[in-house]
Amino acid sequence: GAVVSQHPSWVICKSGTSVKIECRSLDFQATTMFWYRQFPKQSLMLMATSNEGSKATYEQGVEKDKFLINHASLTLSTLTVTSAHPEDSSFYICSASLRRVSDTQYFGPGTRLTVL
Amino acid sequence: DQQVKQNSPSLSVQEGRISILNCDYTNSMFDYFLWYKKYPAEGPTFLISISSIKDKNEDGRFTVFLNKSAKHLSLHIVPSQPGDSAVYFCAASADSGGSNHKLTFGKGTLLTVNP
C-alpha cells in the first residue's frame, strides 16, 4: 500500500516553456500533498504544501507564480513550472499523506527536469 | 538554523554487522520522527517511524530509538546487508497549530554496506 506515482519521470524542455508534473496517490486518498526539490548531494527542500480543494501554502522564497500547484482531487496534485529557466533544472519529488492517520509522507519516484 | 541534524555524512559497515545512524534535533515541539531510505534518482522510501510517547520502535531488522531528553534518535539496522546501501534521511514533524504537519529533514547519511 501507500504507492505514489509521478509523471513524467524525466523531461527536457527549452527555456521559456512550461512543464507540468503530475503526482498521484494510487491506493489511498491523500488529504495533503507536498512538493519538494532536491539539488545534487543536498537534502530535500520543501517547496509547498497543498490540501485538496484549497490553495497551496508556499515556503519562503518559493515563487508561487512560477511554481503553480493544483490539487484538484484527493489523488492528484500537479506542479507546473512556468517559463522555465536553466536554473529550474532539478529533481522534483512529491509526497502524499493521510494526515488523519499520521504525518507519514509517502514519496513518488521523482521527476528529473532539465531546462536547456 | 538546522532543526534536524545528521552529523555523519557517511558511514561504512561490514555486511552482517550493525549499522547505527544518528540524528539530533533542536525543536522541542517535534513529536513524530521518521527515517527514510533513498537511492539516487529515486524518491525516498519510508522505513520506520516513532511517536514521542515511545522510546523504541522495531520493525524487522530496523529499530528506532528515541531519547527525548537528549533530543536524539538513532536507527539500528541488524544485520546490515549490501542492499541497505543508500542515503538515510531522518525527519521530524510537530503536531502543533500552524505547523501544517510539515516534515523537517536532515541532510542525510550515506550508508555503505560492504560484502
Side-chain angles (χ1 to χ4, degrees), chain A residues 32 34 36 38 42-44 46 49 51 57 59 91 93 99 102-110 112, chain B residues 31-32 34 36 38 40-46 49 89 93-95 100-103 105-108:
Chain A
T32 307
F34 303 83
Y36 293 83
Q38 185 182 28
Q42 300 273 335
S43 185
L44 299 166
L46 179 65
T49 303
N51 294 296
T57 302
E59 294 299 298
F91 192 57
I93 313 174
R99 278 174 44 191
S102 75
D103 284 349
T104 301
Q105 292 179 24
Y106 298 93
F107 285 82
R112 169 69 60 191
Chain B
D31 57 5
Y32 188 66
L34 310 91
Y36 287 87
K38 187 181 183 301
E42 293 186 12
T45 301
F46 169 70
S49 63
F89 288 99
S93 72
D95 186 18
N100 210 17
H101 300 263
K102 298 186 297 188
L103 292 183
F105 284 86
K107 289 191 173 182

Side-chain angles (χ1 to χ4, degrees), chain A residues 50-91:
Chain A
S50 73
N51 294 296
E52 183 260 342
S54 61
K55 287 185 178 179
T57 302
Y58 289 81
E59 294 299 298
Q60 192 173 9
V62 178
E63 299 175 61
K64 62 180 180 181
D65 294 330
K66 179 168 186 63
F67 299 99
L68 302 179
I69 291 172
N70 182 277
H71 192 164
S73 75
L74 286 172
T75 59
L76 173 64
S77 176
T78 60
L79 168 69
T80 302
V81 183
T82 63
S83 187
H85 288 109
E87 56 265 32
D88 298 326
S89 298
S90 191
F91 192 57

